[in-house]
Amino acid sequence: MTQIKDTTELDFCDVLFMPKRTTLNSRNEADVIREYKFKYYPHTLKSCGIMAANMATTGTFEINNVLQKYQAITCLHKHYDFQDTKNYSYINDNFENTNSNGNAYTFISTGLKDDKEKLFKTLSDKNFKVDKLCIDIANGYIPKLLELVKEVRAKFPHLLIMVGNVVTGDMTQDLILSGADIVKVGIGPGSVCTTRKLTGVGRPQLSAILECADAAHGVGGLVCADGGCTCAGDVAKAFGAGADFVMLGGMLAGTDEASGDLIEKNVQTNQLIEENGKLVLLQKKEKYKQFYGMSSQLAQEKHFGGMACYRASEGKVVEIAYKGSVEGVIMEILGGIRSTMSYIGARRLKDIPKCTTFYRVNRQLNEIFGKS
Ligand code: 5GP
């Protein structure tokens, strides 16, 4: 019989942090670098916990090159072919932060339908300097995913494995007990995702993180909150709900290092100017970059040679206002998180959930008088 879960389900916009007495005198005293330990992966990793999504637009070498300076992670998109010597040498030679356990801040990605033998060949290559794998499918409840996780873990006991996506504690635990170090949480919250519209499936992201983090931590695993962050405050809220990592697509898109051409458009402003004796509205040029969902029709055409007939597009294409270098974006996010930490009294990134009390609110932004 149909059941209704009549509990309160919350999104980032439904809560605000309660400020608390703090021992921090300045945001500079907040340490945003955490030393991560994993259930299976035998090394530790010092990181700020922010990850670039493995989307074709944001999971790029160029983003990786910048983010690693901030100890932020990039999940490279799966369309880089590492049998290709150009990509292979790039990953092996071009990164500054390489250490004995590989490119510290780099994951490679795969899906269920990708060439497993080719992936295993790459990962078995002793000279391949990435030891972190993101197994990413939209519906992490598929039994084949558990099988693949078990197989990869058995073959590569020392690999850092992140798997997703799910939104419930039971499946989070299943994936961790099958061999995942990190489970990716989020169905439908992504900025260019239309899953909720097309299928009616999904869960508000803050509640999903709260449940999955609790479940993961109970069995020694970690979670990555994937999707739905629109500003630094949302990233802080994801950490506050218990996420160990936070994955970003849209927030890092539109930057120099994201892939895609810069589009220039004439946009009409509200400002009147005089032109040839007449008052006309001022036109100004604005720059945009294209950003698209990995299940959008555009992505299917670009990367998979067209849409399979049994599928429907679960992603959209948008134009994001040009933001300059991704360096400015990551600095702003880290600045915001430091500030959150100073408001709630969290000295270390790991302490954020312990120091978090959320107010439930019905409005988080005060933009009544127009946006800046
Ligand atoms: P954002 O940070 O832009 O809100 O969300 C990024 C996340 O959206 C990605 O990491 C991925 O999980 C999800 N995503 C990316 N493309 C698509 C798509 O086409 N359809 C759906 N359902 N989700 C997508």
Side-chain angles (χ1 to χ4, degrees):
M1 198 184 112
T2 306
Q3 294 174 36
I4 299 213
K5 256 179 115 51
D6 195 10
T7 49
T8 306
E9 291 289 319
L10 301 170
D11 239 315
F12 297 130
C13 60
D14 297 317
V15 297
L16 286 170
F17 283 100
M18 176 173 132
K20 291 184 181 164
R21 279 204 192 90
T22 174
T23 55
L24 280 80
N25 282 308
S26 149
R27 69 183 76 176
N28 292 338
E29 292 171 26
D31 183 2
V32 290
I33 303 300
R34 168 175 166 189
E35 184 171 57
Y36 290 89
K37 293 195 176 99
F38 301 92
K39 185 172 174 77
Y40 302 100
Y41 183 65
H43 308 285
T44 56
L45 178 69
K46 284 189 176 166
S47 169
C48 65
I50 291 170
M51 294 190 177
N54 52 322
M55 300 170 72
T57 33
T58 56
T60 64
F61 286 141
E62 293 77 9
I63 286 203
N64 197 173
N65 265 335
V66 175
L67 290 196
Q68 60 168 339
K69 293 187 210 151
Y70 296 86
Q71 292 171 275
I73 294 160
T74 301
C75 294
L76 295 175
H77 63 68
K78 61 184 185 183
H79 309 292
Y80 285 124
D81 178 357
F82 292 107
Q83 313 296 309
D84 178 341
T85 47
K86 185 168 55 84
N87 290 330
Y88 185 88
S89 59
Y90 199 94
I91 200 102
N92 275 3
D93 304 333
N94 272 23
F95 290 87
E96 290 162 21
N97 260 316
T98 53
N99 59 16
S100 56
N101 1 312
N103 284 102
Y105 301 106
T106 314
F107 278 71
I108 59 167
S109 305
T110 190
L112 268 184
K113 295 202 191 91
D114 298 310
D115 186 339
K116 208 164 63 175
E117 298 317 315
K118 202 167 160 186
L119 173 74
F120 289 173
K121 196 172 157 213
T122 305
L123 290 171
S124 309
D125 179 344
K126 296 232 165 354
N127 295 317
F128 188 68
K129 287 191 186 163
V130 176
D131 60 354
K132 300 176 183 68
L133 176 69
C134 171
I135 307 176
D136 182 34
I137 63 167
N139 176 0
Y141 291 79
I142 286 176
K144 271 192 176 164
L145 180 66
L146 279 178
E147 287 164 27
L148 181 64
V149 175
K150 283 183 194 155
E151 188 182 351
V152 177
R153 178 52 73 204
K155 266 194 164 33
F156 302 99
H158 302 319
L159 200 65
L160 178 47
I161 304 178
M162 176 161 71
V163 186
N165 281 21
V166 300
V167 287
T168 52
D170 51 356
M171 205 61 208
T172 301
Q173 292 193 331
D174 272 4
L175 288 166
I176 291 166
L177 297 174
S178 300
D181 293 289
I182 309 169
V183 170
K184 220 145 58 74
V185 177
I187 294 188
S191 57
V192 280
C193 163
T194 54
T195 296
R196 290 176 180 175
K197 213 168 158 184
L198 189 83
T199 67
V201 177
R203 184 172 190 188
Q205 185 68 344
L206 191 94
S207 294
I209 300 167
L210 280 163
E211 181 179 313
C212 296
D214 186 50
H217 298 159
V219 292
L222 301 175
V223 293
C224 171
D226 177 18
C229 289
T230 58
C231 53
D234 290 348
V235 180
K237 289 174 190 175
F239 283 126
D244 302 285
F245 298 92
V246 182
M247 180 171 271
L248 307 174
M251 283 185 75
L252 307 178
T255 56
D256 289 323
E257 296 81 0
S259 73
D261 296 333
L262 206 55
I263 307 157
E264 270 204 339
K265 281 187 176 177
N266 276 331
V267 181
Q268 192 165 295
T269 68
N270 290 332
Q271 198 183 332
L272 284 169
I273 52 160
E274 205 181 308
E275 215 174 74
N276 304 328
K278 278 189 193 157
L279 281 177
V280 291
L281 287 168
L282 173 73
Q283 304 257 339
K284 79 176 182 198
K285 282 203 184 320
E286 281 187 353
K287 293 180 183 163
Y288 298 86
K289 277 188 107 164
Q290 199 178 52
F291 177 53
Y292 53 88
M294 293 314 292
S295 305
S296 64
Q297 189 156 357
L298 180 67
Q300 297 298 316
E301 279 162 15
K302 265 191 188 222
H303 307 290
F304 304 98
M307 202 99 192
C309 57
Y310 60 87
R311 291 193 58 153
S313 161
E314 284 184 33
K316 59 186 172 186
V317 184
V318 295
E319 282 170 0
I320 300 244
Y322 171 64
K323 299 174 187 160
S325 172
V326 75
E327 190 143 20
V329 179
I330 187 77
M331 281 167 69
E332 183 175 298
I333 296 170
L334 292 176
I337 294 169
R338 280 195 193 93
S339 202
T340 308
M341 291 167 73
S342 70
Y343 271 114
I344 64 170
R347 211 161 259 285
R348 302 173 309 164
L349 192 68
K350 200 181 174 188
D351 295 338
I352 297 181
K354 272 196 289 196
C355 301
T356 294
T357 304
F358 285 129
Y359 290 116
R360 231 187 114 187
V361 297
N362 58 16
R363 183 163 73 86
Q364 64 159 347
L365 300 178
N366 33 359
E367 286 182 329
I368 312 169
F369 298 109
K371 35 184 191 170
S372 51

